[in-house]
Amino acid sequence: MDVGGGGPGRPWRGARCRGEPGEVYRRALAAGVPEAEDERRYGVGLAAACVAYALARLHRLPVLEARPAGDDSRAQLVAALEAAAMTADAYRALPRLAGWCRRLGDALRRRWPDADIDVSTLAPYTPRRR
């Protein structure tokens, strides 16, 4: 890996790596955050960030419940919960939170059948007013 030209706080600029994409990103990150070299610490940190993001999105549950069937926001919340669970599973981190995210995602899919779609087919996110 060749890391250069970024100055303090930007050591990943100009990084050139060979290997799997996930490994490339992790090595580039490790140039600025040495803890990223430790697979276990990296996995726990990444899983915690994903679960925290999904949980932060739950404050919108009453708003999403009031939206009409077919609203993309419902599917996006379910996808965020499932992605958090899959990330935690991949790194064998936070098993109880991963299970909780998975069960909540399943429950929301049953409550909102219209949320059972492939979110990659949705239009890009655009902010809206309530």
Side-chain angles (χ1 to χ4, degrees):
M1 178 166 91
D2 175 25
V3 178
R10 290 189 177 194
W12 56 85
R13 288 187 99 182
R16 292 187 302 271
C17 300
R18 290 191 176 105
E20 294 295 317
E23 182 65 20
V24 171
Y25 297 131
R26 188 162 59 93
R27 287 194 182 275
L29 176 63
V33 184
E35 292 81 7
E37 280 293 334
D38 180 349
E39 181 75 16
R40 179 72 182 143
R41 289 178 77 181
Y42 174 78
V44 170
L46 183 61
C50 291
V51 169
Y53 174 79
L55 294 178
R57 304 291 301 159
L58 287 177
H59 81 280
R60 303 191 68 235
L61 199 56
V63 172
L64 299 181
E65 184 67 28
R67 291 203 174 143
D71 189 272
D72 294 346
S73 300
R74 292 176 170 189
Q76 291 165 346
L77 176 60
V78 171
L81 288 163
E82 291 171 348
M86 287 188 293
T87 301
D89 289 344
Y91 287 98
R92 295 185 178 126
L94 311 173
R96 290 184 179 161
L97 282 173
W100 186 84
C101 286
R102 190 175 304 97
R103 287 189 304 277
L104 181 57
D106 290 344
L108 289 175
R109 278 191 191 274
R110 285 191 303 276
R111 182 163 182 84
W112 301 329
D114 55 297
D116 194 14
I117 62 170
D118 179 8
V119 293
S120 68
T121 62
L122 298 178
Y125 173 78
T126 55
R128 70 172 110 189
R129 295 189 179 140
R130 287 188 185 232

